[in-house]
Amino acid sequence: VLPPMGPYSISVSGYDPRTKQDDLDGFLAEKCTAGFQPSAASFRRDGYSITVASQHEASGLLSLSGIRYRGAKLDISCSEAIGGQGSVSAQVGGPQLPEHIKTGLQSALLRLYSPQQQVLLCDNLTGRLAAQPLESGPQLRVEWSNFKFVNTVMHVMHESLQGVQSVSLDSNGIASLQSFKGLSTLCPAIQNLSLAHNALESSAELKNLQGLKLRELRLVGNPVGTCEER
């Protein structure tokens, strides 16, 4: 049941990664009998986040969950009602992983965080989690190409690691920084960020980090430049 007050963050996934936003918008507008007018939207290859103001619009979109679009079944859900008094965390980034997975990820990141040094070590995160598995809870899958995973990591940092100033994301196979656009809003205290030994091919990816007041950004070991550092 949707809460009576919006706005509402609607998550759409399951479509072909080659889908264009205009085409999907047109399909949803045609099928949604309630009609909707997004106040904000964030489109990515693996997920589309739409913010609508009214419960009527949200219900109309949710009623389309399971509908087939070009042979693929769309999964449409309401990740949260943002609300007029919502926190910064509730308003940034779009959909996250389910709460029980987020809780497990929070436990994992807390073990990798040094509050004294304000350093979070997420380099080779798959290997770190394998070496120190959680005693209980869901098995965590590290998917840096998954928008929901990255967004959940950033929200955990915002909610539980607010003092973090240095973050290492080395050796994670990260090929795009598009999903990190909310990092400057959720974690503005970050001053040192290491993305060494990943798969970044273009310096244009760095525009996704705009807003961070970095003292150091390490990119050594990426195709963009084996010695490019700032």
Side-chain angles (χ1 to χ4, degrees):
V1 179
L2 290 171
M5 298 294 293
Y8 304 88
S9 179
I10 305 298
S11 173
V12 183
S13 60
Y15 51 82
D16 189 296
R18 296 169 293 182
T19 297
K20 295 182 179 179
Q21 180 178 352
D22 288 345
D23 294 340
L24 185 55
D25 280 341
F27 176 80
L28 294 174
E30 177 185 353
K31 298 297 182 181
C32 184
T33 57
F36 67 96
Q37 184 63 46
S39 58
S42 177
F43 185 83
R44 293 173 173 80
R45 290 179 297 176
D46 59 351
Y48 188 18
S49 176
I50 306 170
T51 301
V52 294
S54 73
Q55 187 184 54
H56 183 62
E57 293 173 299
S59 296
L61 286 167
L62 291 175
S63 69
L64 299 179
S65 186
I67 194 171
R68 290 199 170 272
Y69 173 66
R70 296 181 177 177
K73 184 185 291 186
L74 297 182
D75 178 19
I76 303 178
S77 61
C78 182
S79 59
E80 57 193 340
I82 297 173
Q85 300 299 319
S87 65
V88 172
S89 177
Q91 299 179 46
V92 175
Q96 301 179 51
L97 296 172
E99 193 64 31
H100 69 288
I101 298 180
K102 180 179 179 180
T103 299
L105 189 56
Q106 180 186 43
S107 298
L109 294 185
L110 282 171
R111 295 194 308 183
L112 302 176
Y113 179 58
S114 170
Q116 293 79 17
Q117 298 179 327
Q118 298 177 311
V119 173
L120 176 63
L121 297 177
C122 287
D123 49 307
N124 185 21
L125 187 56
T126 299
R128 285 185 176 272
L129 293 182
Q132 294 181 302
L134 297 176
E135 296 180 0
S136 61
Q139 182 177 0
L140 297 177
R141 293 181 58 187
V142 177
E143 299 179 287
W144 292 106
S145 61
N146 183 323
F147 166 72
K148 288 185 179 181
F149 175 83
V150 175
N151 196 41
T152 304
V153 169
M154 293 192 299
H155 276 76
V156 168
M157 291 168 61
H158 170 78
E159 296 162 15
S160 304
L161 313 175
Q162 294 183 0
V164 62
Q165 293 188 6
S166 299
V167 178
S168 173
L169 296 173
D170 297 356
S171 304
N172 280 303
I174 297 172
S176 172
L177 298 177
Q178 185 176 13
S179 297
F180 290 84
K181 284 184 176 180
L183 190 60
S184 62
T185 300
L186 291 169
C187 306
I190 293 178
Q191 299 178 9
N192 305 294
L193 178 62
S194 183
L195 291 160
H197 305 290
N198 279 293
L200 299 171
E201 295 185 351
S202 172
S203 58
E205 291 290 341
L206 301 182
K207 66 182 181 181
N208 295 299
L209 302 178
Q210 287 180 353
L212 284 176
K213 299 178 180 179
L214 296 176
R215 294 180 178 177
E216 181 183 27
L217 174 62
R218 298 189 68 247
L219 296 171
V220 61
N222 283 275
V224 69
T226 56
C227 296
E228 185 173 348
E229 297 189 36
R230 187 177 75 186

